[in-house]
Amino acid sequence: MRTEPERIVVESHQSLPHAAASWIADAIAEAIRQSGTCSLALSGGRTPRAVYGELAAAFRDAPWNKVHIYFGDERAVPPNNADSNYRMARESLLDPVHVPAGNVHRMEGERADLDGAARDYERLLPPALDILLLGIGPDGHTASLFPGEPALDERTRRVMPADSPFPPPRRLTITPLVIAAARRVAVIVDGADKADIVARALEGPRDPHALPVQLALGGVWFLDRGAASKLARVPA
Ligand code: 6PG
């Protein structure tokens, strides 16, 4: 990862999904050129659904059979639940582009033993993801790393159970080790309601305990004009 955030500000809310999807498609192609395969970890939430939809529409012919899908976090719900990140990804991307079922590695958020689910997932995750997609919550969380979360101090485990102040309350999440090891990280942020938190994250003091998304400062940040509207330094 780079050490300084690269900011890509797109003109409108409507053009953000295409800009992010193009970057992801290029990154997939590059990873496959380098190693013959690509590991792509998806995020949950409202913003990525549109990005995945655009990937499925505009990049349907990408070599999806060589892409292995992982998740940065999951809610503690069954895979067919409306809150499941896996379900959202399946509906918006994985089914439409026919990613082979054996290439999809979901977090088992439905298990009563979430700690066991986290330990099992850790064994599936490659040492370094080729591409990690992240979002930002209104409190500065990313994946399910919420401010003050014990997983932020983790030095060994790569996946852990976590508590969320937003529903659903129990989650599985990657830890900072996975963000640090990823080869390419993209933070995708949409909307003026994220403008304050984006400005704090990108231009305020560095404190990932208070603003976990700052763990991704080495990545590429895709912002629409609204999300970028409180930045002092906006690229042309
Ligand atoms: C989740 C996430 C989470 C998300 C942000 C932004 O499962 O909720 O992975 O980190 O990316 O909360 O979500 P929105 O795009 O919905 O604002």
Side-chain angles (χ1 to χ4, degrees), residues 42-49 72-75 83 85 133-139 141-146 164 166-168 171-172 188-190 193-194:
L42 304 178
S43 56
R46 168 183 55 88
T47 315
R49 181 185 280 273
D73 71 330
E74 183 55 279
R75 292 88 180 268
D83 283 327
N85 286 344
L133 305 183
L134 293 170
I136 176 172
D139 56 351
H141 78 257
T142 195
S144 284
L145 292 166
F146 294 89
S164 164
F166 304 101
R171 311 283 181 103
L172 287 166
I188 306 170
V189 197
D190 181 24
D193 55 330
K194 301 273 177 74

Side-chain angles (χ1 to χ4, degrees), residues 67-154:
V67 179
H68 280 258
I69 302 290
Y70 297 88
F71 290 81
D73 71 330
E74 183 55 279
R75 292 88 180 268
V77 296
N80 59 354
N81 187 282
D83 283 327
S84 161
N85 286 344
Y86 163 74
R87 176 176 166 172
M88 186 276 278
R90 184 168 54 74
E91 290 176 350
S92 56
L93 176 65
L94 308 179
D95 283 354
V97 301
H98 306 297
V99 175
N103 288 16
V104 180
H105 312 283
R106 71 173 184 88
M107 290 177 164
E108 295 176 329
E110 73 278 21
R111 278 171 58 179
D113 175 15
L114 272 191
D115 195 64
R119 289 181 190 281
D120 287 347
Y121 202 71
E122 188 162 83
R123 284 190 274 274
L124 287 180
L125 265 185
L129 289 160
D130 289 312
I131 308 169
L132 171 61
L133 305 183
L134 293 170
I136 176 172
D139 56 351
H141 78 257
T142 195
S144 284
L145 292 166
F146 294 89
E149 176 66 47
L152 289 166
D153 292 314
E154 183 58 33

Side-chain angles (χ1 to χ4, degrees), residues 15-32:
S15 43
L16 186 71
H18 189 75
S22 302
W23 181 91
I24 295 165
D26 286 349
I28 289 173
E30 187 184 71
I32 292 174

